[in-house]
Amino acid sequence: MDYRRFGEHYVIRLDKGEEIISRLRELAEAEGIALASLTGIGAVSRVVAGVFDTREKAFKGRTWTGDLEIVSIGGNISRMDGHTYTHFHISVADESGRVFGGHLQEAVISGTGELVLTRLEGEVDRRYDSEIGLNLFRFL
């Protein structure tokens, strides 16, 4: 990973073999980022993503492998219990143009990742909501 900061924007290059979530978490912790938004594109060889089943209160994920282009990645970084909390969604396309995605659990770069992380002023925490089964924004 390499990156440069321009004002409140971090322009990030992820390299082959790097996992997106873990690298962004490392960057947020190193730079003291408590709140940010994410956008980006790139190429991945493995993606684990899916949907949250609100009835069962469980994540249902799928794994896709092969040559996949990131059509879009977006989401946010916040805090929960004093720790960095990432929440990203991803859409990827295969060579036939079929698009897959959902809530991102893992994505490994195959070529490069070109991401922009924008630091936001302030701090938003999260709290687990047992009725819904998710960690929801809690405004301080």
Side-chain angles (χ1 to χ4, degrees), residues 117-137:
L117 189 68
T118 301
R119 181 193 298 253
L120 301 170
E121 190 174 317
E123 188 170 332
V124 174
D125 199 38
R126 288 185 178 266
R127 179 181 302 155
Y128 180 75
D129 183 300
S130 60
E131 179 183 345
I132 297 171
L134 293 171
N135 299 319
L136 304 180
F137 276 156

Side-chain angles (χ1 to χ4, degrees), residues 16 18-19 41 44 62 103 110-111 114 136-137:
K16 184 176 182 175
E18 292 186 300
E19 198 283 314
I41 57 174
V44 292
R62 294 199 48 192
H103 176 84
S110 61
E114 298 177 350
L136 304 180
F137 276 156

Side-chain angles (χ1 to χ4, degrees), residues 20-66:
I20 293 173
I21 296 172
S22 62
R23 296 302 276 161
L24 290 176
R25 187 175 289 123
E26 289 171 16
L27 180 131
E29 291 170 1
E31 293 287 329
I33 298 171
L35 184 62
S37 64
L38 175 72
T39 186
I41 57 174
V44 292
S45 58
R46 174 182 164 80
V47 173
V48 180
V51 299
F52 183 78
D53 184 319
T54 56
R55 289 180 303 274
E56 294 182 22
K57 298 180 184 175
F59 174 76
K60 294 188 176 179
R62 294 199 48 192
T63 300
W64 295 277
T65 59

Side-chain angles (χ1 to χ4, degrees), residues 14 18-29 38 48 73 77 84-90 103-109 115:
L14 294 179
E18 292 186 300
E19 198 283 314
I20 293 173
I21 296 172
S22 62
R23 296 302 276 161
L24 290 176
R25 187 175 289 123
E26 289 171 16
L27 180 131
E29 291 170 1
L38 175 72
V48 180
I73 184 171
I77 291 176
T84 300
Y85 188 96
T86 58
H87 185 189
F88 306 132
H89 287 201
I90 193 168
H103 176 84
L104 182 60
Q105 294 289 302
E106 177 185 332
V108 178
I109 298 294
L115 309 173

